[in-house]
Amino acid sequence: LAKHENFVQVKSNIDESISTCKFAQRVAMIKNNARVNEETDPKLLIRNLKNQVQELQEALSVAKGESKFDADSELSAEEKDRCEAAVRAFIEDQTKNIEFAHPSKIRH
């Protein structure tokens, strides 16, 4: 009687396992094309584009040698913040690719 009960339990588990495998196969066939569903505020987009145009115009004037940059002038707080952020981003990006060597392997 105990063997018969074990067989019934195994059979019911097999049916459930087969059902689960079939479900997994159906799920594996699903293909998603996920994309972000967001709306951009036109005013924000315009402001960002204006800032980008200004930065590009400044870069162009520097490239042409028409820069109004005065080496003796003090940077504004906003300019200092932008410089700090740019330096931090550069350093963080550079440290991602650095391989540290054991001191014994460094040639002098």
Side-chain angles (χ1 to χ4, degrees), residues 24-76:
Q25 284 179 328
R26 288 193 309 269
V27 168
M29 299 297 288
I30 296 173
K31 293 184 180 181
N32 289 334
N33 291 326
R35 56 191 164 96
V36 177
N37 185 14
E38 67 179 41
E39 293 182 21
T40 305
D41 180 21
K43 291 179 183 178
L44 178 64
L45 181 61
I46 290 170
R47 186 175 66 213
N48 289 340
L49 289 172
K50 284 182 178 181
N51 287 339
Q52 186 178 8
V53 167
Q54 181 181 357
E55 289 174 7
L56 290 171
Q57 286 174 339
E58 289 172 4
L60 182 62
S61 68
V62 168
K64 288 182 175 180
E66 302 169 354
S67 175
K68 299 175 186 174
F69 178 71
D70 182 9
D72 296 329
S73 68
E74 185 72 23
L75 294 176
S76 70

Side-chain angles (χ1 to χ4, degrees), residues 11 21 31 38 43 48 52-53 78 80 87 91 108:
K11 180 159 175 29
C21 288
K31 293 184 180 181
E38 67 179 41
K43 291 179 183 178
N48 289 340
Q52 186 178 8
V53 167
E78 181 182 332
K80 288 179 184 179
V87 169
I91 291 171
H108 294 285

